[in-house]
Amino acid sequence: TKITKIFDERLMPPDEHAMKDLPVPKDGESYFITLHPAYLEKSEFNTVSVDTNSDDYKELRKSIELNGVKDPVLTRINPKGGLEILSGQRRHMIARELNYPVPAIIQKIDDNDAMILVADSNLHRPHISTYDLSRTLRNKMTAMKRKAGRKKRGVPGADELQSDAMLAKEMGISTSKLNRIIRLSEATKAVCDAVDDNSLELSIASDLSFLSPEHQNAVIDLVGLNLKPTVKRVQRLRDAEKRGNLDDKTMRAILEDKDIQPVKPPEPPKPTVSGCVNGDTQRVASTGTDHGHITCHAGTAEYEAGHAGTAETGKHRAATRNADGGKAGDCTNVSQQRHSDLRREQAAGRLQ
């Protein structure tokens, strides 16, 4: 951005009057000024933490310690006094530690553009955690939709409806993955850290974010005990939470699938006794002087006959139905022949 005006340095710590006595640019103007670091504050839209132990931070600190802050920070007027940093938070942090002056550019920037600028400055970092990334993308998405929605109040335009697709393309990821990451802005740091160390899949972590923070952290504790959440298990956790009965015992049971009732195998069909029908077996009891078996084949049926050792003819049971409802067939003829034989044997016995 072209600098439209340069102001004198202010290298002494500011008082309350000095904090409110800063040049205010108009639309399209850019002011340049070098200030004591106490004039500048972190933006309220910047939720990203700074890892002061990272290699890139240490390298930046060493460079500033040797050469001072060379690249100006981008700022806007803070209504409460001083300047709000939109880009250059780490440079300002190091300068404040070393008590070095900070070159600054002051522009007139609204909230939506400020949110986007803050997000972009963080997204360009060499390393950013899932926790910070999710909240940064959420802020940028919110600002993009607000800007697109201003074109026609109350009616979402094409730009607003496609904000997620535009941001996903800018990030080089799919829209579904972008939405999962943004959903993690509702997840706890423990859940996001589990994604970073590959102990939890992004899709599972996204589903876990629907649980309360307390229950999210409890699940992560159980993951450390080798209990693995899956899509179905997380859904059952969410259902239990809605019912109000998700305690530690229930949570462990769900993650071990002990909440699922075992499915009983179907009982085998019970055997039935019918007449002399194709494929069936019919047993026929009779009385007589001997023990014997009578076999007939009317559709592969088998008949057995026995005797009770009495003088009178026993009662007989025989099948008289065929598969088509017809006659008993060969079984009846054989049975009648057997009855005749028994009567002759009994008569011969009486004569003797």
Side-chain angles (χ1 to χ4, degrees), residues 128-192:
I128 183 170
S129 67
T130 298
Y131 182 84
D132 290 332
L133 177 62
S134 63
R135 284 148 180 81
T136 299
L137 290 175
R138 177 193 62 191
N139 288 344
K140 183 168 183 178
M141 175 70 75
T142 299
M144 290 174 66
K145 289 188 174 182
R146 284 178 182 171
K147 289 188 67 175
R150 287 186 311 186
K151 296 178 180 179
K152 189 173 183 181
R153 187 182 297 262
V155 179
D159 291 342
E160 182 180 5
L161 295 174
Q162 297 298 321
S163 294
D164 55 349
M166 294 168 60
L167 182 54
K169 183 178 180 180
E170 182 181 328
M171 294 295 298
I173 58 179
S174 66
T175 303
S176 60
K177 184 174 183 179
L178 172 72
N179 289 328
R180 287 195 183 102
I181 295 175
I182 292 177
R183 177 63 213 177
L184 288 183
S185 62
E186 301 296 329
T188 63
K189 192 173 187 303
V191 172
C192 293

Side-chain angles (χ1 to χ4, degrees), residues 48 51 90 138 151 174 201 237 260 264 269 280 332 336:
V48 176
D51 184 5
R90 295 192 304 166
R138 177 193 62 191
K151 296 178 180 179
S174 66
E201 296 179 7
L237 289 172
I260 301 177
K264 294 182 179 180
D280 291 337
T332 302
Q336 291 175 350

Side-chain angles (χ1 to χ4, degrees), residues 222-333:
L222 293 175
V223 169
L225 300 177
N226 295 325
L227 296 180
K228 184 179 180 181
T230 63
V231 173
K232 292 183 178 180
R233 290 171 183 170
V234 172
Q235 183 59 56
R236 299 204 302 274
L237 289 172
R238 292 171 59 183
D239 292 341
E241 185 179 71
K242 289 178 182 179
R243 294 192 300 267
N245 62 345
L246 184 59
D247 52 19
D248 291 341
K249 182 179 179 180
T250 303
M251 185 177 295
R252 179 183 284 272
I254 291 174
L255 293 178
E256 293 177 341
D257 287 338
K258 292 182 178 179
D259 62 314
I260 301 177
Q261 295 296 329
V263 179
K264 294 182 179 180
E267 295 184 359
K270 295 181 179 180
T272 58
V273 178
S274 60
C276 182
V277 183
N278 290 343
D280 291 337
T281 299
Q282 174 67 46
R283 297 182 181 273
V284 182
S286 65
T287 59
T289 58
D290 63 347
H291 299 275
H293 298 276
I294 299 173
T295 303
C296 68
H297 299 279
T300 68
E302 176 181 311
Y303 286 79
E304 297 176 320
H307 76 280
T310 62
E312 62 180 8
T313 304
K315 297 181 180 180
H316 294 269
R317 290 187 298 236
T320 59
R321 290 193 304 271
N322 206 339
D324 58 355
K327 298 179 180 179
D330 294 342
C331 290
T332 302
N333 295 332

Side-chain angles (χ1 to χ4, degrees), residues 25-64:
K26 298 178 181 179
D27 289 333
E29 294 182 330
S30 293
Y31 293 169
F32 179 87
I33 188 171
T34 300
L35 300 167
H36 187 280
Y39 277 96
L40 300 105
E41 291 292 338
K42 176 182 176 180
S43 172
E44 62 178 330
F45 301 130
N46 195 341
T47 60
V48 176
S49 58
V50 176
D51 184 5
T52 58
N53 294 319
S54 64
D55 292 338
D56 54 293
Y57 182 87
K58 292 178 179 179
E59 291 176 3
L60 179 61
R61 191 182 192 284
K62 184 176 181 180
S63 175
I64 291 177

